[in-house]
Amino acid sequence: CFPPNMFSAWIDLGGDGQPDALKIDSWSNSYKLYKRIRSGTWPFTLAADTVTLQWASVGALRDNEAYQVTIEDATGGTGRKLTQYVTDTKFIVPVTFRPQDNSSHIMRWWVVAVRQTVADDQGNPIWSTAGAASAMRVFGWSGAGPAATPTK
């Protein structure tokens, strides 16, 4: 199995020697990725698994610093966006962010170092950018999300 072009590479995430994901290193290739996912020829769905995002450290974070992780569903203009703050160099995307339909979705994500400057009236931190944002990356995620749990 060969990657579709010289700017991408298959990645073995399962450790079984089989290609599971396609790493895209330029936005010019994201449309090709989108077409493959929509056509059903994309081998990596994560329909029943979690997605872990990982990035290189910018160095030791200070006590008031963190990484702002932003994930955006770029499919069909849904406008779904998730922003979280972590101090580790990895983030497990909550399964509740998984697409709720059975179609494949393109997810864009990026990371930026942030610094807490003040807190709001309720004590929640207010973050300001403390560096340049990483390059945007993409992954495909398909399969219906978990069923909602009824509440009483």
Side-chain angles (χ1 to χ4, degrees), residues 70-74 78-83 93-100 105-108 139 141 145-146:
T70 305
I71 307 161
E72 183 176 73
D73 186 344
T78 62
R80 292 182 65 217
K81 191 174 189 177
L82 175 69
T83 300
V93 182
V95 295
T96 55
F97 198 70
R98 178 184 292 136
Q100 299 298 307
H105 288 239
I106 297 288
M107 302 290 184
R108 292 188 285 231
F139 64 93
W141 208 358

Side-chain angles (χ1 to χ4, degrees), residues 74-130:
T75 302
T78 62
R80 292 182 65 217
K81 191 174 189 177
L82 175 69
T83 300
Q84 296 286 321
Y85 299 91
V86 297
T87 55
D88 199 357
T89 56
K90 71 176 182 179
F91 177 72
I92 298 173
V93 182
V95 295
T96 55
F97 198 70
R98 178 184 292 136
Q100 299 298 307
D101 55 22
N102 286 324
S103 65
S104 300
H105 288 239
I106 297 288
M107 302 290 184
R108 292 188 285 231
W109 69 280
W110 62 94
V111 177
V112 63
V114 292
R115 182 174 298 123
Q116 181 184 357
T117 53
V118 293
D120 65 14
D121 295 339
Q122 287 78 35
N124 299 316
I126 296 177
W127 301 96
S128 62
T129 303

